[in-house]
Amino acid sequence: MSEADYERAKADWYAATIAYMEGDPARRDHLDVDIARLARGVDAPVFVVEGGADAVIAPPQGEELAAMLDAAGNPDVTWRRYQSVNHFFTPQPDGTGAPGAVTDFGLDRRVKRDARDWVLDRLP
């Protein structure tokens, strides 16, 4: 899709998500969180991971969070998006959104490998 179409689709998704959350008292308070302000207070190393098939915290929110942390001056921000991985970081077959399509409930091997390496790279 073109960059303009992508930006329109992203804006439409955010608008629909915000409308949904505004109508649900249990989720409404999430809209009041100032993520940029919180990002300015984080100075520890951060490994931001997102599943490309996550329907709850959908891309590009992880990438945007990493950019906020970086813009706030955090010197050690790593971001990774894992295609065919859902909200729980388990494999999600491409083109499926139904939880019933998931047959492997183990943590995706790429996520495990990268998280392990990220931590080991930061040990003294």
Side-chain angles (χ1 to χ4, degrees):
M1 102 177 20
S2 73
E3 186 67 28
D5 288 343
Y6 172 77
E7 290 302 322
R8 272 192 297 281
K10 185 170 78 169
D12 290 347
W13 183 88
Y14 277 121
T17 300
I18 289 169
Y20 169 73
M21 292 176 77
E22 285 176 336
D24 182 347
R27 291 183 172 88
R28 174 69 186 99
D29 62 336
H30 292 290
L31 297 174
D32 297 329
V33 176
D34 185 346
I35 301 298
R37 183 181 67 77
L38 291 173
R40 288 190 296 273
V42 178
D43 58 5
V46 179
F47 184 38
V48 179
V49 294
E50 69 180 342
D54 189 339
V56 179
I57 310 294
Q61 293 181 80
E63 183 178 11
E64 292 170 347
L65 174 60
M68 277 187 231
L69 290 159
D70 186 61
N74 188 308
D76 189 358
V77 178
T78 303
W79 164 77
R80 297 279 186 278
R81 177 181 300 146
Y82 297 93
Q83 292 310 116
S84 306
V85 171
N86 62 27
H87 185 69
F88 302 104
F89 298 104
T90 61
Q92 178 82 34
D94 286 336
T96 63
V102 176
T103 58
D104 179 357
F105 294 96
L107 190 64
D108 184 88
R109 62 177 171 70
R110 297 167 296 168
V111 176
K112 286 192 283 191
R113 179 200 61 224
D114 291 352
R116 178 202 64 215
D117 292 348
W118 186 86
V119 169
L120 291 175
D121 286 347
R122 283 154 184 80
L123 289 177

